[in-house]
Amino acid sequence: MAAVATCGTGAGSTGSVVAAGSKNHVTSFQRRGPRASGSDSSYSRLVSIAGTRPSVRNGQLLVSTGLPALDQLLGGGLAVGTVLLIEEDKYNIYSSLLFKYFLAEGIINGHTLLVASAKEDPADILQELPAPLLDDNFKKDFDEEACNHKTAESNIKMKIAWRYQLLPKMEAGPVSSSRFGHYYDASKKMPQELIEASKWHGFFFPEKSSSTLNIEPCSLTHGYIKLLQFIQNIIYEEGFDGSNPQKKQKNILRIGIQNLGSPLWGDDICCTENGNSHSLTKFLYVLRGLLRTSLSACMITMPTHLIQNKAIISRVTNLSDTVVGLESFIGSERETNPLYKDYHGLIHIRQIPRLNNLIYDVSDVKDLAFKLKRKLFTIEEEKEYTLNDLYKRLHLPPDLSDTVSRSSKQDLAEPSKLLGPGCGVMAGGKKHLDF
Amino acid sequence: DQLLNRPRSLSGPSGKLTLLCDANTDGSFLVHHFLSFYLKANCKVCFVALIQSFSHYNIVGQKLGVSLTVARECGQLVFLEGLKSSVDVFFRAQAEPHPLQFLREANAENLQPLYEFVREALKPVDDGEAAWRCPVLLVDDLSVLLSLGMGAVAVLDFIHYCRATVCWERKGNIVALVHDSGDTEDEENNILLNGLSHQSHLILRAEGLATGFCRDVHGQLRILWRTPSQPTTQRDQSLTYQYKIQDKSVSFFAKGMSPAVL
């Protein structure tokens, strides 16, 4: 701890402190960054954790979320010690896909996984993970795709493409030398041998709920208490928090929790408005405490559209570090809207943490849409259509397209916070069409 | 920092409650400012940090020119790290009452252990050591206490007790951050916010711009000076600035006068 302290108070150094096992037995979440002096050996030890890299902005240790374009939007990746909250889309299609990408990334990088679910057995979830795209295979397909661009895309195979136009430095395909962030083929499964070689812990709530409750009653629901104990146990036993002197852990623990807050966990906030309003928030708080003091990163998917009490959603947002909302077009009016034909849904970056900093990386683009194309998951800025584009797309005579373009441009420009007004505007446009 | 607009003099009347409030944006830069301001001014600070870890505040503090580690070691700063302590409290039964005791209890009535902690931390030291100037209580943030199961009334009581001790008895100051949830119907939060607004001498409200996100202007800061104890016929003074947060400071400018626009 002494070495750490002197480095911390070094003149001019912006606090880049490496946290090795400290005397206080707890590895506090500290920034790791380029340093002139100090224990370079421990710095290089931390940097050498597979699948991590220090952030350009503030030296934070980052892991990939499994989607390189999402990493870009979050300022390079998910910071170790933080919580990424995904607000699920209505039918939990795309959020479970993101969840699987997160876990698959952990397997590829050799991280330890902790999968918690109340709906599916973690072993089954792991069997469903997408296969990583090996570079040469992908390049072949990518060229193929470029040729087939003009032909009609078949709708049978799920296609996910990732292209983020505003960041010119990003290549369109996977970089063969990067060990940070991989691309996955959603149509293929992860090879069995990779899954078996990985280290993972599963928490399947229906199995664990039968055991007795040991701690004093507090306002957390039974499921959350058990999950917290499980996570804390793993962190302590495997030495992710540096407190166990025998175990020097040089790996990241990736925690994935699915459908948190749903009734399957025993929480009733999705059922009634006056449910147990503190259980989930307390859980998140203690979870964040656990994460901050260990080498772990967590992704939680939560069906926020089901939560009846809106105050809880804002509290949950404040208690999470990064919040990303997914809104799919399935079943909504936008599905048949020709302007949204290219996309499968919208992505809202609701919150990005300012860690160790007054400022944060935030992309300028706020209206983002995603689509599933051949092999990758793409996020793009919603396109601004010219009048000609609209005319062609909507097959309208020129005078009507004027009205439609104006109202739909409004729709595009509006930060897509509320589905209601946006659809209202479009519905208004459609009325003109019906005439 | 370029917060020149507020005449702050510690030799002047103390015993102030300053309310920091953020709506649709992140007001934590205000917390960092006050922390570094009071530490530089040689005050004894008790910081109840419930939202982020010690190293986060330390690193930002270093950018602003103070070292929290040094301050903590020499006794100027008493730091309650909520996240770390919550793990200790939650998983292991504590022998003595812990300030975050309410995390273990199903129906915690009040925040008395937390108040005792604050009172103990800001106790005047009699043994003639380096005398710090007025004690300061800084809380980041109070809305979290609502999320953790305390009612708005319990939190208001806590602040009331702290004001009695810190502001009135020891002539110190209190600075607390509360989130304004805006249009989401968080009634408890609104009660807390309104209750504190009426008790505060100074309200700093950071708001996101009504037109949405902008790269050059991060938000708007509204400053309101009040005199809650004396009903006066004077109107409360109020000022509004827009700001942009930079790496080591925050720059303020009058509305519409952002350098990017001019």
Side-chain angles (χ1 to χ4, degrees):
Chain A
M1 202 59 195
V4 168
T6 46
C7 293
T9 53
S13 81
T14 40
S16 37
V17 178
V18 168
S22 64
K23 259 199 285 186
N24 296 338
H25 306 298
V26 175
T27 305
S28 59
F29 177 63
Q30 288 176 339
R31 190 182 129 187
R32 296 152 181 93
R35 313 140 36 104
S37 61
S39 39
D40 292 298
S41 58
S42 44
Y43 169 66
S44 52
R45 175 155 48 100
L46 274 172
V47 162
S48 67
I49 299 179
T52 64
R53 71 173 177 199
S55 151
V56 174
R57 167 79 65 188
N58 54 13
Q60 211 82 40
L61 200 62
L62 301 174
V63 293
S64 169
T65 54
L67 273 176
L70 186 60
D71 291 340
Q72 293 271 8
L73 290 175
L74 299 182
L78 179 63
V80 170
T82 64
V83 170
L84 168 61
L85 178 72
I86 307 277
E87 296 182 351
E88 288 174 11
D89 54 302
K90 210 155 119 188
Y91 301 104
N92 194 16
I93 298 175
Y94 301 105
S95 42
S96 63
L97 203 55
L98 287 187
F99 189 73
K100 290 187 180 130
Y101 284 145
F102 182 72
L103 296 177
E105 185 70 26
I107 291 192
I108 298 297
N109 287 319
H111 297 162
T112 309
L113 297 182
L114 197 161
V115 186
S117 172
K119 193 163 73 166
E120 290 172 71
D121 196 334
D124 295 336
I125 298 178
L126 286 178
Q127 294 298 323
E128 304 269 309
L129 295 183
L133 278 173
L134 301 170
D135 302 321
D136 43 357
N137 283 346
F138 178 74
K139 283 212 173 75
K140 226 176 6 172
D141 293 331
F142 193 64
D143 293 335
E144 211 181 276
E145 179 190 320
C147 300
N148 292 341
H149 192 61
K150 301 234 170 64
T151 66
E153 291 166 333
S154 94
N155 288 330
I156 302 171
K157 254 186 6 179
M158 285 277 260
K159 301 171 185 180
I160 307 181
W162 201 262
R163 229 176 49 217
Y164 193 55
Q165 292 164 325
L166 288 190
L167 294 175
K169 295 194 192 85
M170 176 160 182
E171 288 103 26
V175 179
S176 53
S177 59
S178 86
R179 288 169 56 219
F180 188 86
H182 297 80
Y183 293 84
Y184 296 93
D185 182 355
S187 55
K188 299 198 190 114
K189 300 267 176 285
M190 168 97 56
Q192 192 63 25
E193 53 271 9
L194 279 178
I195 301 178
E196 277 162 19
S198 69
K199 187 141 190 257
W200 62 275
H201 304 274
F203 181 94
F204 186 37
F205 179 49
E207 276 170 17
K208 311 263 180 172
S209 62
S210 49
S211 46
T212 54
L213 191 59
N214 291 335
I215 77 170
E216 300 158 21
C218 59
S219 57
L220 282 180
T221 54
H222 185 38
Y224 296 156
I225 298 177
K226 290 241 102 57
L227 180 56
L228 275 177
Q229 283 178 325
F230 183 76
I231 294 176
Q232 193 258 348
N233 209 27
I234 300 284
I235 290 180
Y236 178 69
E237 292 290 315
E238 309 238 336
F240 285 105
D241 59 356
S243 62
N244 202 338
Q246 277 91 32
K247 298 206 170 217
K248 295 232 161 190
Q249 187 57 259
K250 276 181 261 179
N251 207 347
I252 305 280
L253 176 67
R254 277 189 189 235
I255 304 176
I257 307 179
Q258 215 179 22
N259 306 123
L260 194 66
S262 79
L264 292 168
W265 284 100
D267 198 353
D268 58 356
I269 51 175
C270 293
C271 312
T272 85
E273 201 169 304
N274 294 324
N276 189 344
S277 54
H278 299 125
S279 183
L280 182 59
T281 44
K282 250 194 195 176
F283 170 83
L284 277 177
Y285 188 78
V286 180
L287 176 69
R288 213 148 142 258
L290 276 175
L291 291 179
R292 285 287 199 275
T293 51
S294 63
L295 276 176
S296 45
C298 180
M299 175 190 274
I300 300 181
T301 70
M302 187 182 290
T304 47
H305 56 96
L306 292 177
I307 295 180
Q308 306 274 342
N309 186 351
K310 302 297 169 202
I312 295 186
I313 301 178
S314 70
R315 286 184 188 176
V316 161
T317 305
N318 286 334
L319 283 171
S320 315
D321 297 297
T322 317
V323 183
V324 173
L326 289 178
E327 186 192 318
S328 81
F329 293 150
I330 298 177
S332 81
E333 288 124 341
R334 292 186 184 185
E335 193 174 17
T336 48
N337 185 340
L339 291 169
Y340 286 117
K341 195 173 63 169
D342 287 339
Y343 304 109
H344 287 104
L346 298 174
I347 280 201
H348 309 282
I349 309 284
R350 300 211 198 274
Q351 184 171 281
I352 298 185
R354 296 173 200 239
L355 293 167
N356 296 344
N357 229 325
L358 281 174
I359 48 179
Y360 57 173
D361 264 326
V362 60
S363 71
D364 291 338
V365 184
K366 285 294 166 177
D367 299 323
L368 298 160
F370 66 87
K371 63 184 164 193
L372 231 57
K373 224 162 80 171
R374 187 162 309 142
K375 285 190 159 85
L376 304 168
F377 194 102
T378 309
I379 300 183
E380 287 175 7
E381 181 192 3
E382 290 182 30
K383 294 204 184 87
E384 291 267 312
Y385 286 97
T386 65
L387 223 56
N388 275 341
D389 281 347
L390 281 172
Y391 170 49
K392 282 181 211 143
R393 272 178 187 268
L394 300 169
H395 310 293
L396 292 172
D399 48 354
L400 273 179
S401 73
D402 232 328
T403 326
V404 175
S405 70
R406 251 182 281 129
S407 55
S408 53
K409 273 216 167 111
Q410 240 173 37
D411 185 48
L412 282 177
E414 200 181 272
S416 19
K417 263 184 268 175
L418 305 160
L419 188 56
C423 276
V425 168
M426 276 323 296
K430 279 190 180 141
K431 282 198 197 114
H432 281 276
L433 282 178
D434 288 341
F435 160 86
Chain B
D1 276 27
Q2 294 179 17
L3 291 178
L4 317 158
N5 44 328
R6 292 174 299 112
R8 309 271 327 170
S9 65
L10 285 170
S11 54
S14 281
K16 293 250 162 53
L17 170 61
T18 302
L19 178 66
L20 307 175
C21 169
D22 59 17
N24 285 333
T25 187
D26 185 5
S28 57
F29 68 96
L30 294 169
V31 174
H32 292 298
H33 161 75
F34 275 100
L35 180 61
S36 57
F37 173 74
Y38 281 119
L39 282 178
K40 281 189 210 168
N42 243 350
C43 293
K44 173 136 189 184
V45 178
C46 173
F47 188 11
V48 178
L50 299 171
I51 276 286
Q52 297 284 4
S53 61
F54 176 76
S55 54
H56 166 81
Y57 294 105
N58 194 19
I59 291 171
V60 182
Q62 282 175 345
K63 293 193 180 192
L64 297 177
V66 291
S67 167
L68 297 192
T69 341
V70 168
R72 189 164 65 166
E73 276 164 20
C74 67
Q76 187 188 8
L77 172 67
V78 179
F79 196 97
L80 174 63
E81 189 171 350
L83 288 173
K84 195 165 89 161
S85 316
S86 68
V87 173
D88 292 332
V89 167
F90 189 79
F91 291 108
R92 290 177 273 280
Q94 303 285 312
E96 339 161 310
H98 189 277
L100 297 181
Q101 191 72 22
F102 58 89
L103 279 175
R104 287 187 75 88
E105 294 157 16
N107 288 310
E109 289 293 321
N110 55 31
L111 286 164
Q112 188 162 358
L114 189 57
Y115 162 67
E116 304 280 344
F117 172 83
V118 171
R119 193 175 66 175
E120 188 62 35
L122 293 179
K123 206 166 52 172
V125 172
D126 294 325
D127 52 358
E129 272 186 8
W132 308 111
R133 296 174 77 176
C134 61
V136 175
L137 168 64
L138 189 57
V139 186
D140 180 18
D141 57 61
L142 287 176
S143 303
V144 163
L145 291 172
L146 296 177
S147 303
L148 292 176
M150 303 309 303
V153 176
V155 182
L156 283 172
D157 284 343
F158 164 70
I159 290 289
H160 179 77
Y161 272 81
C162 288
R163 273 185 65 210
T165 313
V166 178
C167 294
W168 189 79
E169 198 179 306
R170 312 233 173 101
K171 308 284 184 277
N173 293 325
I174 298 185
V175 181
L177 174 68
V178 179
H179 293 300
D180 185 357
S181 50
D183 48 357
T184 60
E185 311 103 19
D186 194 345
E187 285 197 23
E188 294 266 304
N189 202 31
N190 288 340
I191 295 174
L192 179 62
L193 186 61
N194 287 333
L196 283 179
S197 303
H198 287 298
Q199 295 177 31
S200 316
H201 296 88
L202 175 64
I203 302 181
L204 292 171
R205 196 183 152 90
E207 297 165 350
L209 294 178
T211 43
F213 171 74
C214 167
R215 203 175 9 164
D216 298 303
V217 179
H218 290 152
Q220 187 164 284
L221 183 69
R222 269 205 240 169
I223 308 173
L224 183 64
W225 285 270
R226 301 181 69 247
T227 45
S229 44
Q230 304 139 6
T232 61
T233 49
Q234 292 173 315
R235 285 171 61 189
D236 298 327
Q237 266 186 300
S238 143
L239 279 177
T240 308
Y241 287 88
Q242 292 181 336
Y243 63 87
K244 176 176 176 176
I245 303 179
Q246 287 150 346
D247 192 39
K248 293 191 181 185
S249 67
V250 182
S251 56
F252 291 85
F253 32 85
K255 270 205 234 187
M257 307 282 278
S258 159
V261 168
L262 294 175

